[in-house]
Amino acid sequence: MKKLLILILFILSLNLVYAAEITVKESSVKSVILPGQNAIFDLEVTNNQVFRDQIKSVIMDASWKRQGGNEVYNLNANEKIQDRLTLFPLGYLKPGIYAISIRFVSTTNPEIYIDKQLVITIIDYKDILEAKLEVNPQGLDPRKDNLLKLNLKS
């Protein structure tokens, strides 16, 4: 019974060891965007293994595509690399908050991976800009030059 318990704990700890063998830190450069714009993140990918490995990043969300940044990182043991990842939406996405899943996986051993969530907020134009057109209170005279006033609030 004790051997079985020890075996189960050992198997469960393997997943924890695998997860620690790749680490990824992210910081947002531009995560609040307008429709059709790109989101930008700085990444730090670290290979904590004792051997050289290729770590591949896979965007799991079908609504987003990589425009800039590496797809594969060739890292020596205990090496880290800085990268700038640019993501753009495929087609029109409604304003809202999106969590984009990216998996960083070892090409040597696919059981070694880590998943990251990058949060992107798409805001609507009407939420950031209000336009109001003011005209002469007596009305517009098409025979004369008229003064129009456009007030913009952000």
Side-chain angles (χ1 to χ4, degrees), residues 40-59:
I40 304 169
F41 295 88
D42 282 336
L43 301 176
E44 181 183 270
V45 181
T46 306
N47 176 15
N48 296 319
Q49 303 171 95
V50 294
F51 55 88
R52 180 175 174 77
D53 200 355
Q54 285 187 332
I55 298 170
K56 183 175 183 177
S57 64
V58 180
I59 298 170

Side-chain angles (χ1 to χ4, degrees), residues 26 43 55 73-74 83 110 128 145-146 148:
E26 82 281 343
L43 301 176
I55 298 170
Y73 303 95
N74 294 305
D83 191 23
I128 62 165
D145 288 340
N146 293 287
L148 301 175

Side-chain angles (χ1 to χ4, degrees), residues 2-150:
K2 283 185 179 181
K3 290 181 182 181
L4 180 63
L5 181 63
I6 291 172
L7 179 63
I8 291 172
L9 290 175
F10 176 74
I11 290 172
L12 290 175
S13 69
L14 284 178
N15 285 337
L16 297 174
V17 170
Y18 281 151
E21 293 191 10
I22 299 172
T23 55
V24 178
K25 295 179 184 175
E26 82 281 343
S27 64
S28 168
V29 175
K30 185 179 174 188
S31 64
V32 178
I33 61 173
L34 293 170
Q37 288 186 329
N38 296 336
I40 304 169
F41 295 88
D42 282 336
L43 301 176
E44 181 183 270
V45 181
T46 306
N47 176 15
N48 296 319
Q49 303 171 95
V50 294
F51 55 88
R52 180 175 174 77
D53 200 355
Q54 285 187 332
I55 298 170
K56 183 175 183 177
S57 64
V58 180
I59 298 170
M60 309 296 277
D61 192 319
S63 299
W64 295 84
K65 187 167 173 88
R66 174 191 332 271
Q67 184 172 14
N70 295 320
E71 187 174 350
V72 177
Y73 303 95
N74 294 305
L75 297 170
N76 291 321
N78 297 310
E79 182 182 10
K80 64 177 73 171
I81 190 169
Q82 307 286 332
D83 191 23
R84 180 160 280 185
L85 176 64
T86 303
L87 298 170
F88 72 94
L90 294 174
Y92 176 78
L93 293 180
K94 293 181 180 180
I97 299 172
Y98 295 86
I100 293 40
S101 296
I102 302 179
R103 176 166 286 181
F104 295 85
V105 61
S106 165
T107 57
T108 306
N109 182 353
E111 292 181 7
I112 300 174
Y113 66 88
I114 186 168
D115 291 331
K116 277 299 197 184
Q117 298 279 323
L118 301 179
V119 177
I120 298 173
T121 303
I122 299 178
I123 55 175
D124 199 352
Y125 290 105
K126 67 181 179 182
D127 293 336
I128 62 165
L129 188 64
E130 178 185 332
K132 184 178 179 185
L133 183 63
E134 294 181 11
V135 296
N136 188 343
Q138 283 96 21
L140 298 174
D141 186 353
R143 295 168 288 160
K144 296 182 182 178
D145 288 340
N146 293 287
L147 180 64
L148 301 175
K149 186 176 175 183
L150 179 63

